[in-house]
């Protein structure tokens, strides 16, 4: 029901016919004054109102979709070498004015000079591999790592923290000690160990994350559940004979969802950066596989001669990290209106 | 008299706390007939809520270390029930309403879903049936426009309406016993009266027995047939409501009645509180726990625990003054009469 708008001035000429008894409609007096609005709907409304969130959500969607279809848009695969086409600067027909003109630092058109007629959108590396394909392959890896981080947080972290707090007592103490041990091991050591046993690559990064990636989330969920489980509505549910699993799933977790979502969102950029960092120092993915960290490492060695090799993957990783952080920040404000400035 | 629906026999509950073992409930016995209302009164920390919670098995096992005695529900000692059996009992047979309606509803679930929870659990009904019953329950507790209201969330309800919802939730599966733990303390006075009226009417309709835990004697007079007065973890006096109000036998009961503000007293007359504090239950002392605060204290009170003395029709009190050997017993009886004459 919308608020009736009151005109600022009452007209002088209200006719007397209006001053007669009105029919009393019982249904009207019992109308619910406000339509049902769930806490989630409210949060989503607040989220949509933030420009930064909308913009970064759109950018993430665009980057994710190009990461999926991008590699197929080029006729070269990410590891296909062509030494005749090595070190070509980026060239996108129609976007020459943006710098994608296929000219090197001496302003000579390398494509013309070497008689190459295919346009490499992001250029090529020293083996003549198509950087467009490689950059988006790298973006795929980054997003995959982000997905793994989110799944680990949601499944292991939430479950572990939730069970630990809900059952409490000795169970909680034992589970907490395990977490403390895991937190005490630097993740770099774990990854080096895995890289030695297996070989450096996506598998060892994933395994290292399985061991340590969910610990922060488990702690946050534990804190939330400890706070929630003593509240009266949980006691009320227990007096109604509701089972433990239903209390956890229907009463505790929905109320802890705000911090959980926010924490997942903040963990995604951290995980992406972790992978890029490992690949950059050579502990992560190995050539010819492409990840943004590998590409930045390759690019930074030839930064002076071929700056595009560094700039493009660096811009991409900065963009995705900023977008995820902005989104997480917006989500935090939307889900917890109390902390809003 | 027919067999009581619930009989609590010599219930004892102790808590392990950092300051030692606290005997919160020390040998409480009472019984409840079908459709009857029993009020448990007493000041904070007297063990009222602990008694209620142990009936439902809601006390955490790690903390509530010692339990003794029996709680007989329909012939079975539910104190020995497993968690699974207890969960089947909760909500379906014995249900509970809590003090603060602001916190006893889940803020992320619609009213309807919370009403349906017990039904799913205990009655194994279809979704449509449960939804229909939820609407009926809301109508029964007097919430207008129930069809739309089932889809709203608790924050859209006022305090009084939430307490109605909480009562509806507790009664959804037609329990035989409803435990109301200070159901009106968090509400303002006009709403209190409405909620009490509602509970009385619902009791007439459904025949549920009610255990009403309160420290509001006005509410007791209006609702209950039987009263149990608790002090320091035990029932010091119990009996029919008229006896408790007009012929109190225990000095503590008398103190409670005296400390109630009354409308007919002169405005400048101060309230008469019971001096002192309730005893520390982690260091139980010898003798009667009320002795340090009692105006009629005798030597025997500090030495021995008073035995229960029962007069006619189930009126019982634990006080040495009721013993034939107490010499100023008559004075007490006279003073008690004076109190009740005022009321």
């Amino acid at each position: 029901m919308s608020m009736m708008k009151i005109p600022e001035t009452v007209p002088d000429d209200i006719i007397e016919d209006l001053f007669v008894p009105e029919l009393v409609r019982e249904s009207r007096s019992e109308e619910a004054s406000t339509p049902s609005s769930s806490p989630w709907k409210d949060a989503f409304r607040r989220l949509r109102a933030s420009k930064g969130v909308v913009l970064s959500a759109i950018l993430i969607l665009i980057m994710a979709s190009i990461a999926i279809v991008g590699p197929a848009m080029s006729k070269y695969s990410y590891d296909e070498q062509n030494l005749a086409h090595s070190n070509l600067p980026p060239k996108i027909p129609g976007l020459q004015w943006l710098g994608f003109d296929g000219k090197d630092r001496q302003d000579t058109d390398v494509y013309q000079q070497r008689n190459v007629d295919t346009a490499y959108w992001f250029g090529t590396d020293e083996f003549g591999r198509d950087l467009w394909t490689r950059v988006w392959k790298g973006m795929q890896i980054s997003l995959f790592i982000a997905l793994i981080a989110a799944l680990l947080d949601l499944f292991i972290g939430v479950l572990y923290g939730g069970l630990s707090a809900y059952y409490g007592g000795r169970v909680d103490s034992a589970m907490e000690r395990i977490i403390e041990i895991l937190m005490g091991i630097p993740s770099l050591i774990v990854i080096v160990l895995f890289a030695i046993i297996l070989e450096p690559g996506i598998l060892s990064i994933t395994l290292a994350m399985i061991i340590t990636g969910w610990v922060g989330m488990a702690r946050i969920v534990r804190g939330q559940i400890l706070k929630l489980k003593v509240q009266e509505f949980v006691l009320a549910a227990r007096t109604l004979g509701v089972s433990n699993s239903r209390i956890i799933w229907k009463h505790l977790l929905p109320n802890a969802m705000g911090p959980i979502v926010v924490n997942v969102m903040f963990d995604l950029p951290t995980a992406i950066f972790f992978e890029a960092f490992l690949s950059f120092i050579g502990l992560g993915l190995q050539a010819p596989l492409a990840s943004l960290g590998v590409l930045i490492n390759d690019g930074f060695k030839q930064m002076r001669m071929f700056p595009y090799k560094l700039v493009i993957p660096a811009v991409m990783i900065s963009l995705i990290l900023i977008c995820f952080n902005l989104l997480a920040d917006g989500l935090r404000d939307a889900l917890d209106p109390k902390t809003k400035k | 008299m027919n067999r009581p629906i619930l009989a609590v026999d010599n219930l004892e509950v102790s808590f392990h706390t950092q300051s030692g073992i606290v005997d919160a409930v020390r040998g409480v016995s009472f019984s409840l007939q079908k459709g009857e209302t029993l009020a448990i009164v007493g000041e904070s920390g007297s063990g009222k809520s602990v008694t209620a919670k142990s009936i439902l098995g809601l006390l955490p096992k790690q903390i509530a270390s010692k339990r003794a005695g029996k709680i007989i529900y329909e012939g079975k000692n539910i104190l020995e029930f497993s968690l699974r059996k207890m969960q089947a009992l909760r909500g379906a047979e014995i249900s509970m309403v809590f003090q603060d309606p602001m916190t006893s509803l889940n803020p992320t679930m619609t009213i309807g879903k919370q009403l349906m929870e017990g039904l799913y659990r205990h009655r194994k009904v279809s979704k449509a049936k449960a939804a229909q019953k939820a609407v009926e329950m809301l109508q029964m507790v007097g919430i207008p426009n129930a069809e739309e209201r089932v889809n709203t969330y608790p924050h859209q309800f006022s305090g009084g309406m939430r307490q109605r919802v909480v009562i509806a939730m507790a009664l959804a599966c037609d329990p035989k016993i409803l435990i109301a733990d200070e159901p009106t303390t968090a509400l303002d006075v006009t709403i209190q009266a409405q909620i009490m009226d509602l509970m009385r009417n619902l009791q007439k309709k459904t025949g549920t027995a009610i255990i009403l835990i309160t420290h509001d004697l006005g509410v007791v007079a209006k609702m209950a047939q039987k009263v149990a007065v608790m002090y320091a973890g035990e029932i010091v006096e119990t009996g029919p409501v008229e006896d408790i109000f007009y012929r109190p036998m225990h000095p503590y009961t008398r103190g409670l009645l005296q400390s109630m503000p009354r409308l007919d007293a002169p405005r400048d007359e101060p309230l008469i509180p019971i001096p002192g504090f309730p005893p520390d239950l982690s260091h139980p002392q010898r003798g009667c726990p009320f002795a340090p605060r009692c105006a009629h204290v005798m030597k025997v009170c500090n030495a021995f625990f008073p035995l229960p003395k029962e007069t006619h029709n189930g009126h019982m009190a634990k006080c040495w003054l009721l013993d034939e050997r107490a010499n100023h017993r008559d004075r007490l009886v006279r003073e008690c009469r004076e109190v009740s004459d005022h009321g």
Side-chain angles (χ1 to χ4, degrees):
Chain A
M1 212 170 81
S2 62
M3 271 254 284
M4 224 182 292
K5 208 176 169 192
I6 302 162
E8 275 171 22
T9 52
V10 178
D12 297 325
D13 51 343
I14 305 175
I15 44 172
E16 277 174 30
D17 297 15
L18 288 176
F19 292 89
V20 291
E22 171 73 294
L23 266 177
V24 177
R25 271 173 293 175
E26 266 184 35
S27 61
R28 257 188 100 174
S29 65
E30 293 204 345
E31 266 168 25
S33 51
T34 44
S36 163
S37 92
S38 81
W40 305 121
K41 263 190 230 159
D42 288 353
F44 188 66
R45 218 187 41 228
R46 281 193 293 269
L47 194 63
R48 245 182 0 198
S50 150
K51 284 191 198 104
V53 167
V54 175
L55 190 69
S56 33
I58 291 173
L59 270 175
I60 289 173
L61 278 181
I62 291 175
M63 281 193 280
S65 29
I66 301 183
I68 293 165
V69 298
M73 284 162 75
S74 160
K75 54 186 179 221
Y76 304 102
S77 73
Y78 71 95
D79 55 353
E80 195 174 321
Q81 299 189 4
N82 184 351
L83 288 175
H85 287 183
S86 64
N87 295 330
L88 287 170
K91 177 180 178 184
I92 306 176
L95 282 180
Q96 276 90 347
W97 51 276
L98 260 177
F100 296 96
D101 49 7
K103 290 181 178 152
D104 67 5
R105 297 183 69 205
Q106 282 75 41
D107 220 26
T108 47
D109 192 332
V110 188
Y111 285 80
Q112 223 165 31
Q113 192 185 31
R114 296 192 359 211
N115 206 10
V116 181
D117 40 349
T118 37
Y120 290 95
W121 288 350
F122 284 175
T124 57
D125 64 6
E126 70 264 41
F127 300 112
R129 291 180 295 214
D130 180 19
L131 277 178
W132 167 270
T133 322
R134 285 178 71 74
V135 164
W136 293 114
K137 262 286 177 207
M139 187 64 88
Q140 273 183 17
I141 301 281
S142 292
L143 292 173
F144 172 75
I145 291 289
L147 185 73
I148 295 269
L151 291 179
L152 286 174
D153 267 353
L154 284 177
F155 286 97
I156 307 184
V158 170
L159 203 68
Y160 194 98
L163 291 178
S164 167
Y166 186 73
Y167 289 103
R170 256 178 230 155
V171 180
D172 186 36
S173 303
M175 288 173 93
E176 266 300 282
R177 295 299 86 73
I178 293 174
I179 281 200
E180 274 157 20
I181 291 169
L182 289 178
M183 280 199 131
I185 308 172
S187 49
L188 214 51
I189 291 190
V190 179
I191 183 78
V192 170
L193 286 177
F194 272 114
I196 293 169
I197 300 167
L198 306 162
E199 49 200 45
I202 195 90
L203 182 67
S204 49
I205 294 180
T206 309
L207 284 173
M209 279 168 66
I210 286 177
I211 287 186
T212 56
W214 47 270
V215 174
M217 176 63 108
R219 289 201 138 174
I220 284 183
V221 174
R222 176 175 174 270
Q224 288 293 319
I225 302 291
L226 279 179
K227 187 183 87 185
L228 289 168
K229 77 168 185 178
V230 292
Q231 294 207 352
E232 243 172 21
F233 65 84
V234 178
L235 191 63
R238 281 171 64 208
T239 56
L240 285 178
V242 178
S243 61
N244 280 344
S245 68
R246 205 179 148 85
I247 287 180
I248 293 178
W249 287 109
K250 293 277 170 178
H251 290 279
L252 295 174
L253 286 181
N255 279 295
M257 219 52 213
I260 290 176
V261 169
V262 170
N263 197 45
V264 167
M265 289 310 291
F266 275 116
D267 267 2
L268 300 185
T270 316
I272 293 175
F273 185 79
F274 182 59
E275 181 275 327
F277 165 72
L278 288 175
S279 299
F280 180 77
I281 61 171
L283 284 170
L285 269 69
Q286 306 291 313
L289 283 170
S291 105
L292 291 176
V294 172
L295 294 176
I296 290 170
N297 189 22
D298 288 351
F300 118 103
K301 289 172 198 152
Q302 300 162 315
M303 189 165 64
R304 297 217 180 134
M305 282 302 290
F306 309 105
Y308 66 92
K309 287 189 194 170
L310 173 66
V311 171
I312 292 171
V315 165
M316 285 299 167
I317 195 159
S318 310
L319 213 54
I320 194 96
L321 290 182
I322 290 172
C323 283
F324 270 121
N325 271 313
L326 276 180
L327 191 57
D329 205 46
L331 265 172
R332 185 178 55 194
D333 289 347
L335 288 170
D336 191 0
K338 275 170 271 175
T339 58
K340 216 168 183 182
K341 318 114 205 168
Chain B
M1 233 185 211
N2 29 348
R3 210 169 60 145
I5 186 164
L6 181 84
V8 175
D9 184 23
N10 214 10
L11 179 74
E12 285 177 30
V13 182
S14 303
F15 292 109
H16 259 303
T17 65
Q18 278 166 350
S19 57
I21 294 172
V22 176
D23 302 317
V25 175
R26 312 194 290 175
V28 161
S29 307
F30 60 84
S31 65
L32 188 69
Q33 303 289 334
K34 200 171 177 299
E36 188 181 46
T37 301
L38 166 77
I40 303 182
V41 294
E43 57 200 305
S44 314
S46 60
K48 302 172 302 217
S49 294
V50 175
T51 308
K53 282 183 182 164
S54 49
I55 293 174
L56 278 168
L58 286 174
L59 296 172
K61 284 213 169 69
Q62 303 100 302
I63 306 167
S65 54
K66 184 181 124 197
R67 300 139 197 259
K70 282 180 199 152
I71 299 175
I72 309 287
Y73 172 74
E74 295 197 323
K76 279 165 280 186
N77 184 6
I78 57 174
L79 212 56
E80 285 164 1
F81 269 25
S82 64
L83 179 69
R84 193 167 288 272
K85 271 171 118 178
M86 209 61 220
Q87 278 178 348
L89 194 80
R90 289 178 195 156
E93 309 283 326
I94 307 176
S95 208
M96 191 157 173
V97 172
F98 293 95
Q99 184 173 352
D100 189 0
M102 293 317 208
T103 56
S104 41
L105 291 170
N106 182 346
T108 58
M109 246 173 148
T110 61
I111 297 294
K113 281 213 177 108
Q114 300 192 48
L115 277 164
M116 279 142 69
E117 264 199 326
L119 292 167
Y120 282 144
R121 178 79 178 77
H122 300 296
R123 295 283 176 266
K124 307 271 179 291
V125 290
S126 69
K127 207 173 173 190
K129 268 254 181 71
Q132 195 197 338
K133 176 88 181 169
V135 172
E136 278 170 28
M137 290 311 296
L138 279 191
Q139 282 165 344
M140 197 167 96
V141 295
I143 291 195
N145 215 16
E147 290 88 349
E148 277 175 42
R149 283 298 195 169
V150 286
N151 295 320
T152 54
Y153 287 82
H155 70 270
Q156 294 168 303
F157 278 57
S158 69
M161 281 165 89
R162 286 192 210 188
Q163 195 61 306
R164 286 168 190 263
V165 173
V166 171
I167 291 173
M169 266 168 77
L171 292 177
C173 296
D174 305 314
K176 302 211 173 65
I177 301 172
L178 178 69
I179 302 172
D181 190 354
E182 309 198 16
T184 56
T185 324
L187 305 171
D188 70 64
V189 185
T190 47
I191 309 296
Q192 276 183 15
Q194 286 178 18
I195 294 292
M196 286 331 309
D197 282 344
L198 172 72
M199 284 183 58
R200 259 199 316 190
N201 290 336
L202 290 177
Q203 188 183 25
K204 268 182 212 152
K205 242 184 257 178
T206 56
T208 312
I210 296 180
I211 298 178
L212 180 70
I213 295 169
T214 181
H215 45 239
D216 186 344
L217 288 168
V219 168
V220 174
K222 210 170 159 190
M223 291 279 299
Q225 285 99 51
K226 257 191 343 196
V227 182
V229 181
M230 280 193 81
Y231 186 80
E234 47 188 309
I235 294 181
V236 292
E237 181 162 8
T238 177
V241 67
E242 303 84 25
D243 280 328
I244 298 291
F245 274 85
Y246 296 119
R247 287 174 289 279
M249 298 199 293
H250 199 284
Y252 179 63
T253 315
R254 208 158 56 85
L256 279 184
L257 289 167
Q258 264 181 339
S259 63
M260 254 199 336
R262 41 202 330 151
L263 282 173
D264 55 353
R267 284 184 133 209
D268 50 354
E269 186 181 287
L271 294 174
I272 311 167
I274 305 175
F277 298 97
D280 180 3
L281 293 178
S282 58
H283 302 102
Q285 48 178 11
R286 290 182 61 190
C288 171
F290 189 61
R293 302 170 73 184
C294 184
H296 307 276
V297 64
M298 299 177 290
K299 279 214 167 93
V300 64
C301 301
N302 286 322
F304 298 103
F305 195 85
L307 294 169
K309 259 277 193 258
E310 192 164 335
T311 58
H312 62 297
N313 60 356
H315 188 180
M316 182 281 288
K318 289 176 188 167
C319 181
W320 282 120
L321 289 169
L322 302 172
D323 196 280
E324 291 82 18
R325 288 162 286 183
N327 53 10
H328 62 294
R329 176 171 171 237
D330 296 337
R331 202 183 80 196
L332 175 77
V333 172
R334 202 170 54 242
E335 276 177 24
C336 286
R337 288 272 186 277
E338 273 163 27
V339 169
S340 50
D341 285 348
H342 278 292

